[in-house]
Amino acid sequence: MKKIVVVGGGYGGVSFAKRFAKYNLDAEVYLIDKNPYHFLQPEVYNFIANKYLISDVIIDLSTLAQGLGKTVYFFKDKVIKIDFDKNTVIGEKFGLQYDYLVLAVGSRTFFPPIEGLRKHSSGVKTLTRSLDFKQKFEQKILKKIQEEDKCYIEKDKQFNIVVGGAGLAGVEIAAEMAYYAKMFFKKIGFLCEGLSITLIEAADTILPGQHPYVLEVAYNRLKSLGVDIITGKKITKVEPDKVFLEDGTEIKMDFLIWTGGIIGSTLIPRLGIKMNRKNQAYTDKYFRVEGFDNVFAIGDCAEIRDPDTGNIIPPTAQIAIQSGEIVADYIKSILKGEPLNYKKPEFKGMVSALGGKYGVGMVKNSFKVKGYPAYIFKELVFKHYKIPLKIISKKGYRELMKIYEGG
């Protein structure tokens, strides 16, 4: 029986396992991740804003693997090395041999060499960082409430959040936090000014590269929520309570959330494979890592280009999902001795959440949507991905419980 090892339980790895399990081939899938859960990162803003619990933004990988069938296994381990000569994945706890390897290790937040940035900023790309930010944020709000009497006298007691980077992630979290704080203070009858959010982008505009319609709607929404927007200026230094810009401007802050781009997983540079400056593996049009016929890279850890245009396809959740499914089809064809039927992931558009039940989107650069309809559209798209996984996980949970109770 052939063995397929998938390193990474994010969107690419999970989508590969889900797709491949349907084919009922004479092959086993071993899914490895250092965390026991699949983190639904696009839902993190709802989690921070107390719309969701932790259980709403994670899916247990053990029960998911069990629910996918008897030939899918999950191992919780951190991969530290891959021996390509011996076709072996080596973790901190064990080693696994493979016939085919799928790298789906994702990405991490990129921190440029700005003094104090990494030390004094928070992120929301992982569940641990999101939970840490959420707890610290709520503690700060509580402290502000306890000092309500001071805010009439000391105007600098305003609670200040700075968001560095105005790409999709930065815009979404700035909007969601502004909306959440506005509703929170209004609901409890807090008389002070509440929260100040400043969004900073080094480019000349927010959402660089996005359609002008999306940019305009997002800009107007942010301004209506009271977000201060600074573009065309770089952050040059960060202190515990201040952010410094290149023109000498100083901005007071209680929290700095950094969303300034991504870089590939720390595993990729240790493998000795060809990669770009963002630590993303170079692949051919079939997602095979350069120099290997049995090693594939999908999702954010791979540089995925449109072979027809040569343009890089943006590393998004939808591309990770599609690349996982496409590689599952490729390996199925290889195992069945069939020629590879080339497919390429298609960027179908984007829908961005902009606080509360409001959003903006462009589908295939033609269909425009904003406001509540955009919010509903985004919810439906994500539920289409999330609900089937939840159903599979619950099935696996019931099966595991039967085993434990029977034992």
Side-chain angles (χ1 to χ4, degrees), residues 212-222 354 358-360 370-371:
Y213 171 78
V214 173
L215 192 158
E216 181 182 4
V217 173
Y219 182 87
N220 291 336
R221 173 63 172 175
L222 289 169
L354 294 175
Y358 193 99
V360 62
K370 70 175 181 177

Side-chain angles (χ1 to χ4, degrees), residues 21 32 46 53 112 117 134 156 195 301 304 335 339 374 385:
I32 306 173
N46 289 325
L53 303 172
L117 177 61
K134 174 181 166 67
D156 63 349
L195 178 146
C301 73
I304 301 174
L335 294 179
Y385 172 80

Side-chain angles (χ1 to χ4, degrees), residues 218-332:
Y219 182 87
N220 291 336
R221 173 63 172 175
L222 289 169
K223 296 302 288 185
S224 72
L225 291 171
V227 176
D228 293 324
I229 301 173
I230 298 175
T231 57
K233 295 179 183 179
K234 295 180 181 179
I235 295 175
T236 56
K237 182 181 177 182
V238 181
E239 292 184 351
D241 59 353
K242 288 181 184 178
V243 170
F244 296 83
L245 304 184
E246 60 184 341
D247 63 354
T249 302
E250 298 180 14
I251 301 174
K252 291 184 178 181
M253 66 94 173
D254 292 277
F255 271 107
L256 169 61
I257 304 173
W258 181 253
T259 65
I262 64 169
I263 190 169
S265 163
T266 56
L267 177 65
I268 298 298
R270 301 201 304 267
L271 300 182
I273 59 179
K274 293 182 179 180
M275 62 184 187
N276 64 16
R277 60 184 180 85
K278 291 186 176 181
N279 293 353
Q280 295 172 307
Y282 284 125
T283 63
D284 65 12
K285 68 177 185 178
Y286 297 109
F287 296 97
R288 293 177 298 205
V289 173
E290 283 193 16
F292 301 93
D293 291 331
N294 65 336
V295 180
F296 299 80
I298 58 177
D300 289 4
C301 73
E303 181 184 281
I304 301 174
R305 289 183 178 270
D306 184 331
D308 298 327
T309 65
N311 295 331
I312 294 176
I313 300 176
T316 61
Q318 63 171 295
I319 298 301
I321 292 168
Q322 291 181 53
S323 61
E325 293 173 343
I326 291 171
V327 169
D329 292 345
Y330 287 158
I331 294 181
K332 178 201 74 170

Side-chain angles (χ1 to χ4, degrees), residues 125-191:
K125 193 164 179 61
T126 67
L127 179 60
T128 302
R129 281 182 168 269
S130 300
L131 181 60
D132 182 57
F133 169 75
K134 174 181 166 67
Q135 292 174 336
K136 288 180 179 178
F137 174 67
E138 292 176 345
Q139 288 170 357
K140 287 279 189 178
I141 287 183
L142 176 60
K143 183 179 180 181
K144 182 171 177 61
I145 292 172
Q146 292 170 335
E147 297 177 348
E148 180 175 18
D149 59 319
K150 295 181 181 180
C151 72
Y152 302 108
I153 303 171
E154 303 175 40
K155 292 300 182 181
D156 63 349
K157 288 294 183 180
Q158 177 111 330
F159 183 49
N160 302 295
I161 289 183
V162 175
V163 180
L168 285 174
V171 166
E172 285 191 334
I173 196 163
E176 194 61 62
M177 295 309 297
Y179 180 84
Y180 168 64
K182 189 176 182 180
M183 294 299 104
F184 177 85
F185 290 123
K186 181 179 179 180
K187 186 175 182 180
I188 65 173
F190 191 67
L191 299 177

